Amino acid sequence: MTRNHHTTDTGLSPAQAALRFAQDGPNEIELHHKRAVGRRLLDLLSQPMFSLLVAAALLYIVLGDLTEGLTLAVFVLAVLALTFYQEGKSEASIEALRQLTQPHAQVVRAGQRLTIPAREVVVGDHLVLSEGARVAADGQILRSDHLEIDESLLTGESASVEKNHSLQALDQALVFAGTFIVRGQGLAQVLATGNRSQMGQIGVALAQTDRANTPLQEQTARLVKVLATMVGMLCVVMVLTLGLRDGQWLPALLSGIALAMSILPEEYSVVLTLFPAMGAHRLSREGVLTRHINAIETLGATSVLCSDKTGTLTQNRMAVRSLAVSSTPITTAIPSEILRWSSTASSLDSPFHPLLEHAILASAPQPFDPMETALHTLGETHLKEVEPLYQVGQLVKTYGLSTELKAMSHVWQSGQSAVDTVATKGAPEAVMDLCHLSQVQRQLWLDCADGMAKEGLRVLGVAHSPFKGAVYPQNPHDFEFEWLGLVGLADPLRPEIQEAVAQCQSAGIQIIMITGDYPTTAKEIARQAGLATGDTLSGAELDRLDDSSLRQKLRKVTVCARIAPHQKLRIVQALQANGEIVTMTGDGVNDAPALKAAHVGIAMGARGTDVAREAADLVLVDDNFASIVRGIRLGRRIFGNLQKSMRYIFAIHIPIAGIALVPMVMGWPALILPLHVALLELIIDPACSVAFENEPAAADVMQRPPRNTKKALFGKREIGLAMGQGLCIFLCVGASFALGYGLLAETEVRSMVFVTLIVANALLILANRASAGRFWASLRVPNITAYAVIVSALLALALAMYWPWLAALLKFAPLPMDALGAALAFGLASLPAVLALQWAVQRK
């Protein structure tokens, strides 16, 4: 809970709020029902692999082999426990992220404005309504100021609704949970929370909405479906062939089950669940919270990164560095001289006092924005003795920034004067328009502003106007403003920005800085950050370009300046039309359409609005550009490891399927039984999921161009490589079998085959960790998990062969030293074959 400041509203006392919370429960609608343990177990058992294992165990018992049936049941439980753990780890990661992205709300309690988790809002609370925030609960408006709310989530109407406690229509005096404040501010008393709110009443329908699969899930599902169809047809043929040939239908069915289990790549479902969830967990440790898991698929493929300037590239810690005023009053005459003040001076001369005072008058009385805070700080230092109006007057009217006028104006009253004071600050050219400067005067001050901007300063124009009357005009243009001068504020770059920008450029990512700031200032900050040299596009120029011209222009643009939030959407759409994968940052209410339209929308966590966060896929906790780059790096790592894992899964199933199929066709004794498949699952599952998920990023991951998202993750090239790897191992296993067959007992031949298979499996894991030609270098990259999986598999095989009780169950036998050496040699021989194949495919 954060205490902001004291207010005249009282609200509930802490004790009353605690009592209400105990009575009504948390203010939340459970749309993500956590699966119970029993439900998760049933879902796992319904998967084909577990169904086949259970069927095989039952067949053993029917055939009278109780020991093998119970042993297989134990293996089934072990595989089930491992899969259950991995799935639980994924769900726990997603749930932890969901808790991290919980919204907050501002309430007034006991006269204090507090920031609390939205789930702690209770009936009777006084809820503070501010622009960009999400309404936390249903309530009755107590006070409003130009309040407009987007209720499209409830009504389907895109137009915002004006809200006012004094309006006759009841709905216009109410606010509803889940809606967004797009303009103004106010205060409301909470009437309903959680499931008792309007949103809670439609929560059931929302909870029943199915979540669409990601493109990767759909692609993999199609692959598994094709394989399952082929496997099903092959198994039916084999069962019929064996049954008709031998007349023993139950053993034939058992062999068919073993064949199906050996071919089906059931691990894909585990991998596709675990990798994105664990990736999201890793992203959270980099300061990037994931709201939509499927965004991780796209993040690493970013080709254009559109970034804000203030607070993302810079520190958002502003300080006034320069002031400029005229040496003579501005009427129709050209000022004889522009006086400049620098922050290096120890005092502020009186000619600069009106400029600073009116800049503060045009700011919030209790500033939150770093720019306005900097103005107040300078005023506290240099205006202490003059009793400025912002300390003794009263703010009675505000005119906010708009797309038509990039300036804000405040009207102040003083009890000592019948004349009100109007102060305005904003873009220099906008304030000049309000002052109706002559062309000569305008050019003189624009040159001054340009000089400040070349120093990397953010430049504001300031003006003032007296006003006498009871009715204020609707438009600031109706005041008679007088130009006061310019304020230059410095916002230093974040120290890590240059390195982060360099990484993006080496990764083939185009960076476009989008800002509402002065073009010259923006270009100087871009130069300091190390952005590539390119064109600058202004908001005015953008409006003059048609869509085709904008697409061509953006190919060479590095800086977009004086951009209004609604123009960001056009930029995103034009880049997408060029075939780019666009990641966009944003923080304001009007940034939401662009964030939603971008392939990956990133909202600011520290200074972003609830509206922006709801529209985004990711939330940047520290608003730091370098965190985005770390996220891209991690996104590439996740995708690369997923590709390695899927290739390994496909490859290892080929020799296993061959061991199951060839003896059936040739009429030889079965080498692989359901028991053995269950044992192999205990080896393959950790290898394909935990081992590859923990694989560090390749050293050159940020020196590669962005991947083509239209290209399949596991396309023809990857399938061909995996198939070739699997055949290499199968040939080595076949050679081991051929050497032992006829010379050794059946149990020894089986042991020899499995030694070759498990050794080759270990080397296949190591080979797929590395890219082509980098095998030996990859061994120096630590992955303790992968090595632990490999050692555990070898120890499990040794135990299965040399522990008599387990060897009897699995039909293994200890090997003579010459046979063991030969089996190990054949397993080792698979490595050069696999590496040579990788090199050949990469070269092609």
Side-chain angles (χ1 to χ4, degrees), residues 149-486:
I149 294 183
D150 176 4
E151 296 183 344
S152 58
L153 189 63
L154 290 173
T155 65
E157 296 291 336
S158 58
S160 58
V161 179
E162 182 182 355
K163 296 287 184 175
N164 195 317
H165 65 284
S166 62
L167 294 174
Q168 297 298 316
L170 180 61
D171 282 355
Q172 289 182 294
L174 296 175
V175 293
F176 301 101
T179 58
F180 292 97
I181 303 160
V182 297
R183 183 169 180 245
Q185 55 190 354
L187 190 73
Q189 184 172 14
V190 175
L191 302 177
T193 60
N195 290 330
R196 292 169 294 280
S197 66
Q198 290 289 319
M199 181 63 72
Q201 293 174 21
I202 64 171
V204 174
L206 289 174
Q208 291 173 346
T209 303
D210 291 331
R211 181 171 296 175
N213 287 332
T214 68
L216 180 57
Q217 289 172 327
E218 291 176 353
Q219 181 191 99
T220 309
R222 286 195 297 270
L223 175 64
V224 173
K225 187 176 181 180
V226 170
L227 289 174
T229 303
M230 294 170 58
V231 167
M233 294 171 61
L234 181 61
C235 289
V236 169
V237 171
M238 291 308 302
V239 170
L240 291 175
T241 301
L242 293 177
L244 293 172
R245 186 180 68 188
D246 302 330
Q248 297 182 1
W249 289 97
L250 287 179
L253 184 58
L254 200 58
S255 297
I257 290 174
L259 179 61
M261 291 165 59
S262 65
I263 298 176
L264 272 178
E266 189 65 24
E267 299 83 6
Y268 280 152
S269 61
V270 176
V271 166
L272 289 175
T273 301
L274 183 70
F275 274 56
M278 293 304 297
H281 180 67
R282 291 183 189 278
L283 276 174
S284 69
R285 291 189 292 190
E286 298 289 347
V288 183
L289 301 183
T290 306
R291 296 193 68 254
H292 302 137
I293 291 291
N294 57 351
I296 297 174
E297 287 183 31
T298 315
L299 183 61
T302 297
S303 60
V304 176
L305 175 54
C306 298
S307 173
D308 286 337
K309 175 182 74 69
T310 304
T312 306
L313 294 174
T314 64
Q315 297 180 25
N316 204 22
R317 295 177 181 174
M318 291 193 172
V320 178
R321 289 286 180 262
S322 182
L323 301 175
V325 298
S326 174
S327 61
T328 59
I330 297 180
T331 54
T332 58
I334 300 174
S336 58
E337 184 183 359
I338 293 179
L339 303 178
R340 295 286 297 270
W341 173 87
S342 171
S343 58
T344 56
S346 59
S347 61
L348 183 69
D349 295 335
S350 58
F352 297 98
H353 286 188
L355 173 64
L356 178 57
E357 180 177 358
H358 285 87
I360 297 171
L361 288 172
S363 304
Q366 295 173 328
F368 172 77
D369 182 88
M371 177 182 64
E372 297 184 343
T373 301
L375 293 170
H376 275 266
T377 300
L378 190 66
E380 290 170 1
T381 303
H382 295 294
L383 300 179
K384 291 184 294 186
E385 300 177 0
V386 298
E387 196 177 45
L389 179 60
Y390 62 82
Q391 291 182 352
V392 297
Q394 180 181 2
L395 177 63
V396 294
K397 178 73 174 175
T398 62
Y399 297 87
L401 287 165
S402 68
T403 54
E404 295 79 20
L405 181 63
K406 293 181 174 65
M408 62 187 302
S409 304
H410 287 176
V411 181
W412 289 78
Q413 284 182 348
S414 172
Q416 301 173 355
S417 174
V419 179
D420 296 342
T421 298
V422 186
T424 188
K425 75 175 191 309
E429 60 271 27
V431 179
M432 290 177 196
D433 287 340
L434 290 175
C435 297
H436 307 293
L437 293 186
S438 68
Q439 188 60 40
V440 178
Q441 291 172 337
R442 181 185 181 92
Q443 189 58 52
L444 183 69
W445 284 102
L446 283 176
D447 290 343
C448 181
D450 198 56
M452 287 184 172
K454 286 179 180 177
E455 299 173 19
L457 302 181
R458 182 173 186 177
V459 185
L460 297 177
V462 181
H464 75 112
S465 170
F467 179 79
K468 190 173 184 179
V471 180
Y472 297 109
Q474 294 296 314
N475 194 310
H477 280 282
D478 295 330
F479 293 110
E480 296 179 359
F481 282 108
E482 180 182 337
W483 177 262
L484 288 174
L486 297 172

Side-chain angles (χ1 to χ4, degrees), residues 35 40 44 47 83-92 273:
R35 289 188 301 165
R40 286 174 58 199
L44 283 175
Q47 294 180 7
T83 309
F84 192 76
Y85 165 75
Q86 291 170 336
E87 190 180 78
K89 194 174 181 181
S90 301
E91 291 197 358
T273 301

Side-chain angles (χ1 to χ4, degrees), residues 794-812:
L794 294 173
L795 289 175
L797 178 63
L799 191 66
M801 288 172 53
Y802 293 102
W803 184 13
W805 178 81
L806 189 56
L809 285 175
L810 294 171
K811 295 181 171 56
F812 284 152

